[in-house]
Amino acid sequence: MEKFSALSEADIHGVIIALDNVIQDMLAQGRIVRLDKLGSLYATLSSQGEEEADKVTANSIRKVGVNYRPGKRIIESIKRAGFTKK
């Protein structure tokens, strides 16, 4: 990235660390993180089923994760990339 901008390696590193912190905070709040043309990140979870709503607790959650939905430009570039068998 340093080659494509006026930022130094240290500046870029600092921005990435700050972005990581912001992403963690927003996902922990249940928010979608939109990264302009890069796409978006959102938290996911899976849980065990409960017979009644009042039986659902934090212990019902079995797995948490993060999904990434790429932006249009990334999807289009992959479609145009072409593939060859090696």
Side-chain angles (χ1 to χ4, degrees):
M1 288 191 285
E2 184 180 5
K3 293 177 185 176
F4 300 105
S5 74
L7 300 174
S8 70
E9 181 180 355
D11 291 337
I12 292 167
H13 189 257
V15 168
I16 290 172
I17 289 171
L19 178 61
D20 178 50
N21 291 329
V22 170
I23 289 171
Q24 288 179 50
D25 289 344
M26 290 184 74
L27 291 176
Q29 294 174 33
R31 298 180 66 187
I32 296 172
V33 180
R34 298 188 196 287
L35 300 169
D36 197 30
K37 295 175 184 176
L38 289 176
S40 58
L41 300 162
Y42 56 97
T44 62
L45 62 86
S46 61
S47 64
Q48 69 181 29
E50 302 291 354
E51 293 287 329
E52 299 171 18
D54 63 341
K55 302 243 189 234
V56 176
T57 67
N59 291 330
S60 301
I61 298 170
R62 294 290 175 233
K63 183 178 177 183
V64 296
V66 177
N67 278 356
Y68 167 68
R69 181 171 289 146
K72 254 192 233 182
R73 288 176 44 168
I74 292 176
I75 292 171
E76 291 302 319
S77 69
I78 292 171
K79 287 179 183 176
R80 289 190 310 268
F83 299 95
T84 57
K85 185 176 179 180
K86 289 189 177 191

